[in-house]
Amino acid sequence: MQIRNGFLILKRLFLLSFTIVLSITAFSSAKETINPYACEHYLMGLFYAREGELEKAIYEYRKSLIYSETIAVHKDLADLYLQLGDYKNALEEIEIILREEKENIDALLIKASIYSGMGKMEQSIRIFEEVISLNKNKKEAYFYLGSLYFQSEKYQKAISVYDKFLKLSGEHSEIYYNMGLSYERCGKEKKAITLYEKAIKINDGYFLPHLSLARIYEREKKYDKALVHYKKCAKVDPGNPAIQNKIGLLYYEIKNNAFAQKAFFSTLKIDSDNLTALYSLALIYEEEKEWEKACSFFEKVIEHNTALPQTYIHLAYLYNRLKKHQKAVEILLWAIKINQENSDCWLFLGLVYEQMGEYTKAKNSFEEVIKINSNSEEAYFQLGVVYDKLGEIEMSIEKFCKTIEINPENAAAYNYIGYSWADRGIKLEEALKMIKKALKIDSQNGAYRDSLGWVYYKMNKYKKAVKELEKAVKLISDAIVWDHLGDAYISLKRNKKAVFCWKESLKIKSGNEKIEKKIEKVQNALSNKAIVRDSTAK
């Protein structure tokens, strides 16, 4: 304790001895003989100012002025009021100086700073311009005037002033950075890049030019270069979670999930509740099909922010993939409880119910979507699907027609109508037209090509059916398509090919007794024919 107190006493004695020199200098320009009481209070004011006790310093300066009016004291008072944000009193002190010395440059610089602090940019600019007209070598005036021009969006003037500053002072990293910003705002990014690089050459640890370069390269999609500068930013400011997230997001953009994960985990070391990092990690695990890990991160996001509907949808989707359908339903109902007007949650809830085979609940969910958005193309389409599964064909067709009314290019709706009719063997000519419309929009869709083959099959045009279904199996690997092709072949008495197709169907989806019986029937027939041929030969 004694050592500490001794150190403080020595420090204060040093400051006092130093301030004596300053006080003599301050009072040396006074017109009157130095008043010892004025000097004593001024000394104490300097001491308190250097100790950070600004109110006490102001009190001592004011005491000093009682004994002797001195410009230096008014200037120091103005400085203190400016530090306290007391612009009114600061301005009053400066005006006292300027009444005595209209061209006092130090007072004019403080006055300009006061106006800047008050948000009176134009008055501040005019005073800095006045200072430069009085002293063309006053570097501080160029520095602050350039900043004010920049803030006022007078970028060309800012550049001109900064250029004059550089001629007076030589290379300066902050000025190069400020000039770079001005050029960038003028749309001259190449020039800005050159200036940012100059700033970094002087001071490689200067955060802001690295950040600006990173952002430019990111906009230009030069992600490797952007990453170099974001990493420099992270080195300068390792505790900045926003920079770690930027690094993670860029690695995610270039599909380097391993490095993206590393960056996001670095963010979480700094800020364990960071939503961007948690959400991004959830997306990465979802992409990599690590469903359980993805779920855990989406759950963390919801813990910290319940107002992100996409999080609930993602989480419900994952539970659905994990066949935890009831859990998916619970999550979506919770999201809807928070915001009943969220049509996306209602839509996904309907899809989950549909997958669970709860078609009435699915129908009700899709109808809720339409209450919120009467032109929801997807809701009308899904209603068509659900009504079809409920066996309400007329309502199904009505909803598909509404889908087409909203979007005449919805190929799936045309196909669904055509296939529904074809599969039931009704309105075959109209079904053909609908399916052809679907294929006109998407000619390479295997499902639509299958529908065309199937409608030809139902029209007893078996050669055309085979032609289209052969195209379909090349476009899509689906048990139903192979089954259809088998049926078309059998109608042309191409039995072996039919059996081959049905077997292909069972490879994709085994256990279809109907197909197994068809294979058995044809194989028995082929076997009987072989027996007959053998007995005839004998």
Side-chain angles (χ1 to χ4, degrees), residues 40 88 161 167 204 249 287 367 387 522:
E40 181 185 341
K88 181 176 177 291
V161 168
K167 285 174 183 174
D204 189 50
L249 290 167
E287 279 185 14
E367 284 171 349
Y387 275 120
V522 173

Side-chain angles (χ1 to χ4, degrees), residues 173 197-207 209-210:
S173 60
E197 286 172 347
K198 282 187 176 183
I200 290 166
K201 189 176 180 181
I202 297 167
N203 180 7
D204 189 50
Y206 190 7
F207 181 90
H210 281 299

